[in-house]
Amino acid sequence: MNKPIYHITPEKGWMNDPNGLVEYNGVYHVFYQADPEHLINENIGWGHKISSDLLHWEECQPALLPDQSYDRDGCFTGSAVIKDDKMYLLYTGHVNQESGYIETQNLAVSKDGIHFEKYDGNPVIKNPPADTTMRFRDPKIWEKNGNYYAVIGGETEDKCGKVVYYRSRDLQEYTYCGVFADSDGSIGNMWECPNFAEVNGHEALILSPQGVKPEGNKFLNLHQSGYFLGKMDYQTGIFHRDSKFDLLDYGFDFYAPQIMQDEKNNRCLMIAWLDMWESNMPEQENHWAGMMSIPRV
């Protein structure tokens, strides 16, 4: 099977969720969930590619490997932000236990966008808030008026999807701010990969809920990716939704989209994983699995 030319694919092995989309010193960076030694997500770290035009991509060394006590079973999905000319990655560390697993949020930093060091004070967010299960992952961070905000996907004890959020001044200490958005159970039981986007004067909460029931000709895919439109009130800390949950894409292989505010070109870009959990991946016969969508404005 020939690889696509303009889509990001792994050199070999497994690829899933896009991570850490960011522009840094004139170069676009795309990180992703990667296991180059296996055709399934067995030992997940962060792969890394860079581009000057979003069409031609150069492979970099892995950015994160699961090599610490708090991420030994996976460096799961996260995001990137630039502060004081350094690149910071905020990601979920995954640790399996006999009773389930533990998911914490952790920090890594780079002076050149290629070589990363994990923060000595990890985890920076150790425990999920009250009424949130151990399913607590995929932080998306952004800066607003000198503060840094991170939304994290979760699930209530009643198995309803939710997004919680935190605030930080320095990316190292985080204050829990409350529930950013939640569900009565009609929009799935786990809200993965939340993103917050500002687009043409609108604000959107993007997420990938699992367990959504079909509704007419909508939500027919195995798992969904969609959005709420609304407005964030940074004074009260409330995201006011003014639309119902709607799909970003009707395709059956479209999951975990992440956005990047491309300030250089005054646009918002989105890349998604063009595969789906629990689905057939015929490219595995050629020793690779998974690819990314072409960037969308």
Side-chain angles (χ1 to χ4, degrees):
M1 178 182 291
N2 293 325
K3 283 189 175 182
I5 295 174
Y6 295 116
H7 297 260
I8 294 174
T9 60
E11 299 298 312
K12 63 174 183 175
W14 173 269
M15 165 186 284
N16 67 285
D17 305 2
N19 300 158
L21 275 59
V22 71
E23 185 270 330
Y24 180 58
N25 293 336
V27 176
Y28 295 102
H29 294 251
V30 172
F31 303 88
Y32 52 91
Q33 298 283 273
D35 185 346
E37 302 304 321
H38 302 92
L39 291 173
I40 57 173
N41 57 326
E42 184 173 322
N43 189 42
I44 286 291
W46 278 34
H48 185 195
K49 293 180 184 284
I50 58 174
S51 174
S52 60
D53 60 8
L54 296 171
L55 289 175
H56 304 90
W57 295 92
E58 176 185 343
E59 180 87 358
C60 299
Q61 67 183 53
L64 299 174
L65 295 173
D67 55 10
Q68 301 296 316
S69 60
Y70 50 79
D71 63 13
R72 65 173 184 252
D73 294 308
C75 299
F76 280 12
T77 295
S79 53
V81 69
I82 308 302
K83 179 180 183 294
D84 299 330
D85 203 35
K86 296 179 182 178
M87 185 188 299
Y88 290 82
L89 307 181
L90 186 65
Y91 71 99
T92 297
H94 185 90
V95 176
N96 292 321
Q97 295 186 319
E98 290 185 4
S99 58
Y101 53 77
I102 295 175
E103 292 184 325
T104 60
Q105 316 314 317
N106 303 281
L107 191 68
V109 62
S110 173
K111 296 179 180 179
D112 61 5
I114 302 297
H115 305 89
F116 290 86
E117 293 185 4
K118 296 177 182 178
Y119 175 51
D120 288 340
N122 282 337
V124 293
I125 303 176
K126 295 182 179 180
N127 300 304
D131 190 35
T132 304
T133 69
M134 66 181 71
R135 303 173 80 180
F136 176 58
R137 53 184 175 262
D138 312 334
K140 178 64 171 73
I141 192 162
W142 73 95
E143 185 272 337
K144 186 75 172 182
N145 299 327
N147 286 308
Y148 295 88
Y149 296 86
V151 286
I152 302 174
E155 172 192 64
T156 70
E157 296 288 355
D158 295 330
K159 308 301 182 186
C160 298
K162 68 188 296 189
V163 171
V164 298
Y165 76 111
Y166 292 76
R167 182 180 66 249
S168 176
R169 293 287 294 182
D170 59 6
L171 299 176
Q172 298 175 0
E173 300 289 334
Y174 290 81
T175 300
Y176 176 60
C177 297
V179 177
F180 199 81
D182 58 7
S183 169
D184 59 3
S186 62
I187 313 174
N189 53 26
M190 172 60 192
W191 284 4
E192 290 196 312
C193 303
N195 275 237
F196 182 73
E198 298 182 10
V199 188
N200 297 331
H202 298 281
E203 292 177 336
L205 174 62
I206 296 168
L207 47 91
S208 294
Q210 296 186 335
V212 178
K213 296 180 181 179
E215 180 182 303
N217 67 341
K218 287 186 178 181
F219 314 135
L220 303 180
N221 300 322
L222 186 59
H223 301 297
Q224 317 302 324
S225 293
Y227 65 95
F228 297 103
L229 292 178
K231 191 69 177 178
M232 177 62 180
D233 186 333
Y234 286 93
Q235 296 299 318
T236 63
I238 297 174
F239 176 69
H240 298 279
R241 284 185 272 179
D242 55 26
S243 75
K244 292 183 177 180
F245 181 74
D246 206 354
L247 290 175
L248 282 166
D249 190 290
Y250 280 77
F252 49 84
D253 278 349
F254 184 92
Y255 196 70
Q258 187 167 122
I259 65 97
M260 175 180 66
Q261 303 289 165
D262 182 9
E263 306 291 350
K264 182 174 66 173
N265 295 293
N266 191 30
R267 60 185 179 176
C268 184
L269 300 176
M270 180 176 67
I271 294 178
W273 180 41
L274 286 187
D275 260 308
M276 184 61 66
W277 299 115
E278 304 158 47
S279 65
N280 182 41
M281 297 180 182
E283 69 271 24
Q284 289 176 324
E285 295 182 2
N286 296 92
H287 312 293
W288 62 281
M291 71 177 187
M292 298 300 166
S293 69
I294 289 175
R296 301 182 181 184
V297 178

